[in-house]
mmCIF file of all heavy atoms in Angstrom:
data_model
loop_
_atom_site.group_PDB
_atom_site.id
_atom_site.type_symbol
_atom_site.label_atom_id
_atom_site.label_comp_id
_atom_site.label_asym_id
_atom_site.label_seq_id
_atom_site.Cartn_x
_atom_site.Cartn_y
_atom_site.Cartn_z
ATOM 1 N N TYR A 32 17.855 56.964 0.217
ATOM 2 C CA TYR A 32 18.717 57.997 -0.291
ATOM 3 C C TYR A 32 20.022 57.450 -0.878
ATOM 4 O O TYR A 32 20.310 56.198 -0.794
ATOM 5 C CB TYR A 32 19.094 58.960 0.839
ATOM 6 C CG TYR A 32 20.101 58.544 1.923
ATOM 7 C CD1 TYR A 32 21.416 59.008 1.916
ATOM 8 C CD2 TYR A 32 19.781 57.546 2.766
ATOM 9 C CE1 TYR A 32 22.304 58.545 2.876
ATOM 10 C CE2 TYR A 32 20.718 57.074 3.709
ATOM 11 C CZ TYR A 32 21.958 57.597 3.751
ATOM 12 O OH TYR A 32 22.933 57.143 4.672
ATOM 13 N N GLU A 33 20.767 58.374 -1.529
ATOM 14 C CA GLU A 33 22.076 57.948 -2.026
ATOM 15 C C GLU A 33 23.022 59.149 -1.863
ATOM 16 O O GLU A 33 22.459 60.366 -2.007
ATOM 17 C CB GLU A 33 22.032 57.604 -3.525
ATOM 18 C CG GLU A 33 21.550 56.125 -3.786
ATOM 19 C CD GLU A 33 22.441 55.074 -3.277
ATOM 20 O OE1 GLU A 33 23.663 55.204 -3.175
ATOM 21 O OE2 GLU A 33 21.951 53.988 -2.936
ATOM 22 N N VAL A 34 24.292 59.048 -1.757
ATOM 23 C CA VAL A 34 25.276 60.077 -1.751
ATOM 24 C C VAL A 34 26.341 59.719 -2.757
ATOM 25 O O VAL A 34 26.952 58.664 -2.645
ATOM 26 C CB VAL A 34 25.796 60.249 -0.376
ATOM 27 C CG1 VAL A 34 27.010 61.339 -0.378
ATOM 28 C CG2 VAL A 34 24.880 60.641 0.654
ATOM 29 N N HIS A 48 25.607 53.651 -7.628
ATOM 30 C CA HIS A 48 24.632 54.354 -6.823
ATOM 31 C C HIS A 48 23.206 54.229 -7.398
ATOM 32 O O HIS A 48 22.202 53.996 -6.582
ATOM 33 C CB HIS A 48 25.044 55.727 -6.501
ATOM 34 C CG HIS A 48 26.213 55.906 -5.659
ATOM 35 N ND1 HIS A 48 26.174 55.678 -4.318
ATOM 36 C CD2 HIS A 48 27.512 56.132 -5.951
ATOM 37 C CE1 HIS A 48 27.378 55.807 -3.843
ATOM 38 N NE2 HIS A 48 28.197 56.062 -4.809
ATOM 39 N N ARG A 51 21.873 50.596 -6.718
ATOM 40 C CA ARG A 51 21.534 50.406 -5.391
ATOM 41 C C ARG A 51 20.185 51.153 -5.043
ATOM 42 O O ARG A 51 19.332 50.621 -4.379
ATOM 43 C CB ARG A 51 22.644 50.753 -4.401
ATOM 44 C CG ARG A 51 22.243 50.476 -2.926
ATOM 45 C CD ARG A 51 23.401 50.654 -2.054
ATOM 46 N NE ARG A 51 23.779 52.085 -2.038
ATOM 47 C CZ ARG A 51 24.879 52.553 -1.405
ATOM 48 N NH1 ARG A 51 25.692 51.767 -0.720
ATOM 49 N NH2 ARG A 51 25.184 53.785 -1.405
ATOM 50 N N ARG A 143 20.487 49.197 15.321
ATOM 51 C CA ARG A 143 19.638 49.664 14.195
ATOM 52 C C ARG A 143 18.696 48.483 13.842
ATOM 53 O O ARG A 143 18.699 47.422 14.342
ATOM 54 C CB ARG A 143 20.484 49.899 12.909
ATOM 55 C CG ARG A 143 21.411 51.051 13.148
ATOM 56 C CD ARG A 143 22.370 51.125 12.085
ATOM 57 N NE ARG A 143 23.280 49.926 11.840
ATOM 58 C CZ ARG A 143 23.927 49.610 10.748
ATOM 59 N NH1 ARG A 143 23.832 50.369 9.638
ATOM 60 N NH2 ARG A 143 24.673 48.449 10.788
ATOM 61 N N ARG A 147 19.445 46.652 7.156
ATOM 62 C CA ARG A 147 20.398 47.684 6.915
ATOM 63 C C ARG A 147 20.980 47.633 5.511
ATOM 64 O O ARG A 147 21.723 48.534 5.078
ATOM 65 C CB ARG A 147 21.669 47.473 7.955
ATOM 66 C CG ARG A 147 21.153 47.491 9.330
ATOM 67 C CD ARG A 147 22.162 46.793 10.246
ATOM 68 N NE ARG A 147 21.473 46.571 11.504
ATOM 69 C CZ ARG A 147 21.964 45.566 12.364
ATOM 70 N NH1 ARG A 147 22.962 44.798 12.007
ATOM 71 N NH2 ARG A 147 21.343 45.315 13.410
ATOM 72 N N LYS A 150 19.058 51.289 1.925
ATOM 73 C CA LYS A 150 19.620 52.628 2.378
ATOM 74 C C LYS A 150 18.499 53.691 2.670
ATOM 75 O O LYS A 150 18.220 54.537 1.902
ATOM 76 C CB LYS A 150 20.529 53.105 1.242
ATOM 77 C CG LYS A 150 21.504 54.277 1.652
ATOM 78 C CD LYS A 150 22.544 54.496 0.717
ATOM 79 C CE LYS A 150 23.435 55.734 0.976
ATOM 80 N NZ LYS A 150 24.159 55.592 2.250
ATOM 81 N N LEU A 154 18.279 57.464 10.016
ATOM 82 C CA LEU A 154 19.647 57.624 10.497
ATOM 83 C C LEU A 154 19.861 58.008 11.957
ATOM 84 O O LEU A 154 20.891 58.512 12.309
ATOM 85 C CB LEU A 154 20.399 58.590 9.565
ATOM 86 C CG LEU A 154 20.406 58.078 8.023
ATOM 87 C CD1 LEU A 154 21.041 59.101 7.144
ATOM 88 C CD2 LEU A 154 21.212 56.820 7.948
ATOM 89 N N PRO A 157 22.720 55.706 13.818
ATOM 90 C CA PRO A 157 24.048 56.192 13.368
ATOM 91 C C PRO A 157 24.390 57.589 13.810
ATOM 92 O O PRO A 157 25.596 57.786 14.138
ATOM 93 C CB PRO A 157 23.869 56.162 11.835
ATOM 94 C CG PRO A 157 22.863 55.086 11.540
ATOM 95 C CD PRO A 157 21.881 55.254 12.727
ATOM 96 N N MET A 174 30.087 49.499 14.810
ATOM 97 C CA MET A 174 28.955 48.848 15.527
ATOM 98 C C MET A 174 29.143 47.396 15.581
ATOM 99 O O MET A 174 29.736 46.770 14.599
ATOM 100 C CB MET A 174 27.628 49.203 14.729
ATOM 101 C CG MET A 174 27.387 50.809 14.843
ATOM 102 S SD MET A 174 25.870 51.199 14.108
ATOM 103 C CE MET A 174 26.439 51.233 12.404
ATOM 104 N N GLU A 182 29.473 47.331 10.820
ATOM 105 C CA GLU A 182 30.051 48.343 9.990
ATOM 106 C C GLU A 182 30.276 49.618 10.860
ATOM 107 O O GLU A 182 29.852 49.591 12.014
ATOM 108 C CB GLU A 182 29.196 48.556 8.748
ATOM 109 C CG GLU A 182 27.754 48.957 9.035
ATOM 110 C CD GLU A 182 26.791 48.973 7.779
ATOM 111 O OE1 GLU A 182 27.363 49.282 6.737
ATOM 112 O OE2 GLU A 182 25.620 48.769 8.130
ATOM 113 N N GLY A 183 30.754 50.645 10.117
ATOM 114 C CA GLY A 183 30.891 51.876 10.801
ATOM 115 C C GLY A 183 29.486 52.617 10.706
ATOM 116 O O GLY A 183 28.516 52.158 10.010
ATOM 117 N N THR A 184 29.339 53.756 11.422
ATOM 118 C CA THR A 184 28.090 54.485 11.537
ATOM 119 C C THR A 184 27.656 54.890 10.084
ATOM 120 O O THR A 184 26.411 54.948 9.777
ATOM 121 C CB THR A 184 28.101 55.733 12.378
ATOM 122 O OG1 THR A 184 29.150 56.519 11.859
ATOM 123 C CG2 THR A 184 28.361 55.328 13.814
ATOM 124 N N SER A 185 28.563 55.196 9.220
ATOM 125 C CA SER A 185 28.256 55.642 7.788
ATOM 126 C C SER A 185 29.305 55.133 6.840
ATOM 127 O O SER A 185 29.634 55.837 5.870
ATOM 128 C CB SER A 185 28.122 57.127 7.763
ATOM 129 O OG SER A 185 29.330 57.743 8.115
ATOM 130 N N ASN A 186 29.778 53.905 7.035
ATOM 131 C CA ASN A 186 30.876 53.380 6.273
ATOM 132 C C ASN A 186 31.059 51.858 6.524
ATOM 133 O O ASN A 186 30.605 51.429 7.589
ATOM 134 C CB ASN A 186 32.204 54.112 6.542
ATOM 135 C CG ASN A 186 32.368 54.339 8.006
ATOM 136 O OD1 ASN A 186 32.678 53.380 8.743
ATOM 137 N ND2 ASN A 186 32.313 55.634 8.446
ATOM 138 N N ASN A 187 31.720 51.216 5.565
ATOM 139 C CA ASN A 187 31.961 49.845 5.831
ATOM 140 C C ASN A 187 33.432 49.695 6.550
ATOM 141 O O ASN A 187 34.288 50.579 6.319
ATOM 142 C CB ASN A 187 32.076 49.075 4.476
ATOM 143 C CG ASN A 187 30.668 48.949 3.889
ATOM 144 O OD1 ASN A 187 30.265 49.473 2.934
ATOM 145 N ND2 ASN A 187 29.779 48.180 4.613
ATOM 146 N N ALA A 188 33.599 48.620 7.276
ATOM 147 C CA ALA A 188 34.765 48.454 8.160
ATOM 148 C C ALA A 188 35.624 47.288 7.599
ATOM 149 O O ALA A 188 35.192 46.252 7.226
ATOM 150 C CB ALA A 188 34.346 48.267 9.550
ATOM 151 N N TYR A 189 36.925 47.515 7.733
ATOM 152 C CA TYR A 189 37.974 46.470 7.276
ATOM 153 C C TYR A 189 39.092 46.343 8.242
ATOM 154 O O TYR A 189 39.456 47.330 8.805
ATOM 155 C CB TYR A 189 38.568 46.966 5.841
ATOM 156 C CG TYR A 189 37.590 47.296 4.802
ATOM 157 C CD1 TYR A 189 36.777 48.400 4.900
ATOM 158 C CD2 TYR A 189 37.417 46.344 3.745
ATOM 159 C CE1 TYR A 189 35.888 48.736 3.908
ATOM 160 C CE2 TYR A 189 36.447 46.724 2.750
ATOM 161 C CZ TYR A 189 35.681 47.913 2.866
ATOM 162 O OH TYR A 189 34.759 48.232 1.859
ATOM 163 N N ILE A 205 24.334 44.715 6.967
ATOM 164 C CA ILE A 205 25.161 45.854 6.580
ATOM 165 C C ILE A 205 24.627 46.506 5.248
ATOM 166 O O ILE A 205 24.008 45.832 4.438
ATOM 167 C CB ILE A 205 26.666 45.517 6.379
ATOM 168 C CG1 ILE A 205 26.975 44.559 5.210
ATOM 169 C CG2 ILE A 205 27.268 45.008 7.752
ATOM 170 C CD1 ILE A 205 28.412 44.385 4.866
ATOM 171 N N LEU A 206 25.009 47.747 4.998
ATOM 172 C CA LEU A 206 24.771 48.312 3.721
ATOM 173 C C LEU A 206 25.749 47.756 2.765
ATOM 174 O O LEU A 206 26.998 47.673 2.985
ATOM 175 C CB LEU A 206 24.924 49.860 3.854
ATOM 176 C CG LEU A 206 24.487 50.533 2.513
ATOM 177 C CD1 LEU A 206 22.999 50.556 2.362
ATOM 178 C CD2 LEU A 206 24.971 51.956 2.481
ATOM 179 N N HIS A 207 25.356 47.513 1.548
ATOM 180 C CA HIS A 207 26.247 46.970 0.484
ATOM 181 C C HIS A 207 26.946 48.173 -0.165
ATOM 182 O O HIS A 207 26.403 48.767 -1.182
ATOM 183 C CB HIS A 207 25.432 46.211 -0.498
ATOM 184 C CG HIS A 207 24.695 45.052 0.064
ATOM 185 N ND1 HIS A 207 24.082 44.043 -0.704
ATOM 186 C CD2 HIS A 207 24.558 44.692 1.353
ATOM 187 C CE1 HIS A 207 23.575 43.097 0.188
ATOM 188 N NE2 HIS A 207 23.788 43.474 1.350
ATOM 189 N N GLY A 208 28.027 48.601 0.428
ATOM 190 C CA GLY A 208 28.743 49.860 0.062
ATOM 191 C C GLY A 208 29.111 49.753 -1.413
ATOM 192 O O GLY A 208 29.695 48.720 -1.909
ATOM 193 N N ILE A 209 28.894 50.772 -2.090
ATOM 194 C CA ILE A 209 29.348 51.002 -3.506
ATOM 195 C C ILE A 209 30.880 51.111 -3.565
ATOM 196 O O ILE A 209 31.512 50.537 -4.429
ATOM 197 C CB ILE A 209 28.704 52.251 -4.138
ATOM 198 C CG1 ILE A 209 27.155 52.066 -4.070
ATOM 199 C CG2 ILE A 209 29.151 52.385 -5.604
ATOM 200 C CD1 ILE A 209 26.598 50.753 -4.682
ATOM 201 N N THR A 210 31.426 51.842 -2.546
ATOM 202 C CA THR A 210 32.901 51.925 -2.522
ATOM 203 C C THR A 210 33.500 50.521 -2.114
ATOM 204 O O THR A 210 34.545 50.290 -2.612
ATOM 205 C CB THR A 210 33.195 53.030 -1.417
ATOM 206 O OG1 THR A 210 32.323 54.133 -1.536
ATOM 207 C CG2 THR A 210 34.630 53.522 -1.581
ATOM 208 N N ARG A 211 32.833 49.935 -1.208
ATOM 209 C CA ARG A 211 33.329 48.506 -0.798
ATOM 210 C C ARG A 211 33.413 47.624 -2.075
ATOM 211 O O ARG A 211 34.469 46.949 -2.233
ATOM 212 C CB ARG A 211 32.244 47.866 0.133
ATOM 213 C CG ARG A 211 32.468 46.470 0.589
ATOM 214 C CD ARG A 211 31.338 45.905 1.324
ATOM 215 N NE ARG A 211 31.542 44.541 1.869
ATOM 216 C CZ ARG A 211 31.439 43.424 1.154
ATOM 217 N NH1 ARG A 211 31.194 43.583 -0.171
ATOM 218 N NH2 ARG A 211 31.696 42.294 1.719
ATOM 219 N N ALA A 212 32.402 47.534 -2.912
ATOM 220 C CA ALA A 212 32.455 46.790 -4.064
ATOM 221 C C ALA A 212 33.600 47.069 -4.987
ATOM 222 O O ALA A 212 34.392 46.184 -5.429
ATOM 223 C CB ALA A 212 31.104 46.848 -4.865
ATOM 224 N N THR A 244 35.471 52.395 4.274
ATOM 225 C CA THR A 244 35.271 53.005 2.998
ATOM 226 C C THR A 244 33.831 53.643 2.943
ATOM 227 O O THR A 244 32.911 53.081 3.664
ATOM 228 C CB THR A 244 35.314 51.931 1.892
ATOM 229 O OG1 THR A 244 34.279 51.063 2.057
ATOM 230 C CG2 THR A 244 36.590 51.265 1.783
ATOM 231 N N SER A 245 33.652 54.671 2.221
ATOM 232 C CA SER A 245 32.394 55.249 1.887
ATOM 233 C C SER A 245 32.546 56.156 0.724
ATOM 234 O O SER A 245 33.666 56.523 0.436
ATOM 235 C CB SER A 245 31.825 55.925 3.077
ATOM 236 O OG SER A 245 32.480 57.248 3.232
ATOM 237 N N ALA A 246 31.429 56.591 0.166
ATOM 238 C CA ALA A 246 31.502 57.479 -1.036
ATOM 239 C C ALA A 246 32.148 58.780 -0.696
ATOM 240 O O ALA A 246 32.711 59.474 -1.561
ATOM 241 C CB ALA A 246 30.119 57.746 -1.633
ATOM 242 N N SER A 247 32.005 59.272 0.614
ATOM 243 C CA SER A 247 32.540 60.568 0.955
ATOM 244 C C SER A 247 33.972 60.486 1.529
ATOM 245 O O SER A 247 34.678 61.520 1.571
ATOM 246 C CB SER A 247 31.618 61.301 1.844
ATOM 247 O OG SER A 247 31.412 60.539 3.038
ATOM 248 N N THR A 248 34.379 59.337 2.066
ATOM 249 C CA THR A 248 35.748 59.252 2.649
ATOM 250 C C THR A 248 36.683 58.436 1.779
ATOM 251 O O THR A 248 37.870 58.299 2.081
ATOM 252 C CB THR A 248 35.701 58.630 4.041
ATOM 253 O OG1 THR A 248 35.183 57.279 3.983
ATOM 254 C CG2 THR A 248 34.813 59.473 4.992
ATOM 255 N N PHE A 249 36.084 57.708 0.723
ATOM 256 C CA PHE A 249 36.900 56.843 -0.097
ATOM 257 C C PHE A 249 37.455 55.696 0.700
ATOM 258 O O PHE A 249 36.712 54.855 1.326
ATOM 259 C CB PHE A 249 37.952 57.644 -0.940
ATOM 260 C CG PHE A 249 37.347 58.915 -1.479
ATOM 261 C CD1 PHE A 249 37.784 60.167 -1.147
ATOM 262 C CD2 PHE A 249 36.433 58.773 -2.480
ATOM 263 C CE1 PHE A 249 37.184 61.301 -1.723
ATOM 264 C CE2 PHE A 249 35.860 59.926 -3.073
ATOM 265 C CZ PHE A 249 36.210 61.175 -2.650
ATOM 266 N N TYR A 277 42.021 53.264 -5.640
ATOM 267 C CA TYR A 277 40.584 53.643 -5.691
ATOM 268 C C TYR A 277 40.313 54.924 -6.349
ATOM 269 O O TYR A 277 39.550 55.183 -7.236
ATOM 270 C CB TYR A 277 39.869 53.553 -4.342
ATOM 271 C CG TYR A 277 38.515 54.010 -4.417
ATOM 272 C CD1 TYR A 277 37.484 53.136 -4.957
ATOM 273 C CD2 TYR A 277 38.116 55.337 -4.102
ATOM 274 C CE1 TYR A 277 36.218 53.585 -5.158
ATOM 275 C CE2 TYR A 277 36.796 55.755 -4.199
ATOM 276 C CZ TYR A 277 35.872 54.810 -4.728
ATOM 277 O OH TYR A 277 34.604 55.265 -4.921
HETATM 278 N N1 PMP B 1 27.481 51.568 5.648
HETATM 279 C C1 PMP B 1 26.711 52.554 6.060
HETATM 280 C C2 PMP B 1 25.773 52.283 7.313
HETATM 281 C C3 PMP B 1 26.632 53.802 5.421
HETATM 282 O O1 PMP B 1 25.704 54.701 5.798
HETATM 283 C C4 PMP B 1 27.424 54.000 4.194
HETATM 284 C C5 PMP B 1 27.441 55.261 3.501
HETATM 285 N N2 PMP B 1 26.211 55.781 3.147
HETATM 286 C C6 PMP B 1 28.286 52.981 3.820
HETATM 287 C C7 PMP B 1 28.240 51.814 4.496
HETATM 288 C C8 PMP B 1 29.161 53.027 2.640
HETATM 289 O O2 PMP B 1 28.519 52.964 1.466
HETATM 290 P P1 PMP B 1 29.004 53.695 0.116
HETATM 291 O O3 PMP B 1 30.364 53.166 -0.154
HETATM 292 O O4 PMP B 1 28.065 53.255 -0.852
HETATM 293 O O5 PMP B 1 29.049 55.166 0.356
#
Side-chain angles (χ1 to χ4, degrees):
Y32 76 109
E33 283 295 332
V34 176
H48 290 283
R51 184 173 62 189
R143 297 172 299 163
R147 303 158 195 157
K150 197 163 170 64
L154 296 175
M174 296 178 283
E182 58 188 330
T184 57
S185 61
N186 43 69
N187 291 112
Y189 307 71
I205 64 168
L206 185 74
H207 303 187
I209 301 307
T210 320
R211 177 189 182 281
T244 64
S245 73
S247 56
T248 62
F249 313 114
Y277 175 77

